Amino acid sequence: KLADGMGQLSEGVHLMAARLPEDARLDEFAAGGQTLKAGAARLLSGIDLLDGALPASVAKLEGSARGLADSVEPQLEVQAPVANNGSAFAPNMVSIALWIGAVMAGSIFNLRLIHAEHAGESNAAKTIGKFIVPALVALFQASLTFAMRVFVLEVRAPSYASFALTMAMASLAFLGMIFALLRIFGEAGKLLAVLLPTLQLAAGGGILPVELSGGFFQTIHDWMPFSWVVKAFRASLFGAYANGWLQAWTVVVLAGGLCMLTAGLVGRWRAVPHHEYRPGIETSESGQ
């Protein structure tokens, strides 16, 4: 029995020796103990500091209930003051008015029809020739809208020049977009021109912040012309975006120029003789 017990003891000693960690691990364990000791000392120091900062008694706090409730007083600073709620909606309403004016100009003048004698001219000449008169009409209605806003509704602006320039360029850019729709899709472009404002009102951020709209509208927000026109109007009317109307205005101009380029390159012209050259909207025989 003694021999068997000594054998088991020997096996246990060998097993324990095999299970013991290496010397390097033991050194790491010792170093970890020292780190733990230093951390415990810092924790104790922090507890002592906290104990010294806490009041001696919390049964009754110093000060009044109002002072404790209003310990932080917010300060509101208006970056872009707006006179009234009606003026706040002006950027959105003016954009709609200019778009409708451009749609009407594109409907009255048949932008796809040219005289047969002009069929041999270059696309650039035909595009510019068809665009000039509707553009003058669009600028005239933009000037009437500007006069109504400034002199009748008395909407104030830090710079009337930037406001007028934004209206003029937005009107021409809208007309260029409608021109491109008509040249690409034909008469179906008129339907798209009428339906687009509905989409742009929801995604343009003119009525409510686009962050409160759905994910789809937030995605297409930066691609809608209304978004940039509304930004330009807000900057020129209220000084918003640090009066940065020029950046938004530039985006609108570039978009309109791209649409005009597309209108000159895409689509077909319909050449007709002089007696078949008619406006897009005609009056009835009795009304002539």
Side-chain angles (χ1 to χ4, degrees):
K1 291 181 180 180
L2 177 61
D4 292 340
M6 291 301 293
Q8 294 177 1
L9 176 63
S10 177
E11 291 178 359
V13 170
H14 285 293
L15 181 61
M16 182 178 67
R19 296 291 180 87
L20 287 174
E22 300 176 357
D23 294 341
R25 298 289 301 275
L26 292 175
D27 294 339
E28 292 177 1
F29 179 75
Q34 294 296 328
T35 304
L36 178 62
K37 179 181 177 181
R42 289 197 298 271
L43 178 61
L44 180 60
S45 176
I47 293 175
D48 292 337
L49 179 63
L50 179 63
D51 181 65
L54 290 175
S57 175
V58 294
K60 181 180 180 181
L61 295 177
E62 299 179 357
S64 62
R66 180 172 180 80
L68 293 174
D70 299 336
S71 57
V72 177
E73 182 178 354
Q75 293 183 355
L76 180 63
E77 183 178 355
V78 180
Q79 297 290 340
V82 182
N84 48 59
N85 194 42
S87 298
F89 281 94
N92 192 62
M93 295 298 105
V94 172
S95 300
I96 295 175
L98 296 181
W99 182 273
I100 293 176
V103 171
M104 293 305 299
S107 300
I108 294 173
F109 299 94
N110 201 326
L111 298 179
R112 303 178 66 228
L113 211 64
I114 60 172
H115 285 291
E117 58 189 35
H118 298 150
E121 301 293 336
S122 64
N123 282 336
K126 288 184 284 190
T127 301
I128 296 174
K130 294 297 294 185
F131 186 75
I132 289 178
V133 177
L136 293 176
V137 174
L139 288 176
F140 177 70
Q141 73 94 19
S143 64
L144 292 179
T145 305
F146 175 81
M148 177 66 69
R149 288 288 175 183
V150 174
F151 300 109
V152 178
L153 300 178
E154 298 182 352
V155 175
R156 304 302 178 191
S159 174
Y160 289 112
S162 62
F163 180 42
L165 186 61
T166 301
M167 290 189 65
M169 290 300 102
S171 183
L172 294 178
F174 286 164
L175 181 61
M177 295 171 191
I178 293 169
F179 194 6
L181 289 175
L182 293 175
R183 293 278 292 127
I184 296 172
F185 300 104
E187 293 300 314
K190 294 181 179 179
L191 178 61
L192 293 176
V194 174
L195 295 178
L196 268 177
T198 305
L199 177 62
Q200 296 190 102
L201 284 176
I207 299 178
L208 74 164
V210 70
E211 291 78 10
L212 301 179
S213 303
F216 171 73
F217 297 113
Q218 295 183 32
T219 302
I220 66 173
H221 170 73
D222 291 335
W223 299 93
M224 294 288 100
F226 265 35
S227 303
W228 297 98
V229 173
V230 168
K231 287 182 180 179
F233 279 140
R234 284 176 175 171
S236 60
L237 280 173
F238 315 128
Y241 313 111
N243 293 315
W245 65 274
L246 185 59
Q247 178 186 3
W249 179 85
T250 303
V251 174
V252 175
V253 173
L254 291 177
L258 181 61
C259 288
M260 285 298 299
L261 180 62
T262 304
L265 298 176
V266 181
R268 295 182 179 180
W269 297 100
R270 182 186 172 193
V272 297
H274 181 74
H275 65 278
E276 294 184 9
Y277 188 81
R278 299 183 177 89
I281 298 178
E282 293 184 293
T283 57
S284 61
E285 294 294 334
S286 60
Q288 289 182 350

Coordinates of all heavy atoms in Angstrom, one line a residue, residues 101 121 167 209 269:
G101 N -45.4 79.7 -64.7 CA -45.2 80.6 -65.8 C -44.4 80.0 -67.0 O -44.7 80.2 -68.1
E121 N -31.0 74.9 -90.8 CA -30.1 75.6 -89.8 C -29.6 74.6 -88.8 O -30.1 73.5 -88.6 CB -30.9 76.7 -89.1 CG -31.5 77.7 -90.1 CD -30.5 78.6 -90.7 OE1 -29.3 78.7 -90.2 OE2 -30.7 79.1 -91.8
M167 N -34.8 85.4 -59.3 CA -36.0 85.1 -60.0 C -35.8 85.0 -61.5 O -36.4 84.1 -62.1 CB -37.0 86.3 -59.7 CG -37.5 86.3 -58.3 SD -38.8 87.5 -58.0 CE -40.1 86.8 -59.0
P209 N -39.0 71.1 -43.4 CA -37.6 70.6 -43.6 C -37.6 69.2 -44.2 O -38.4 68.4 -43.8 CB -37.0 70.6 -42.1 CG -37.8 71.6 -41.4 CD -39.2 71.6 -42.0
W269 N -36.8 67.9 -84.7 CA -37.6 69.1 -85.0 C -38.7 68.7 -86.0 O -38.4 67.8 -86.9 CB -36.8 70.2 -85.6 CG -35.7 70.7 -84.6 CD1 -34.4 70.4 -84.6 CD2 -36.0 71.6 -83.6 NE1 -33.8 71.0 -83.6 CE2 -34.7 71.8 -82.9 CE3 -37.1 72.3 -83.1 CZ2 -34.5 72.7 -81.9 CZ3 -36.9 73.2 -82.0 CH2 -35.7 73.3 -81.4

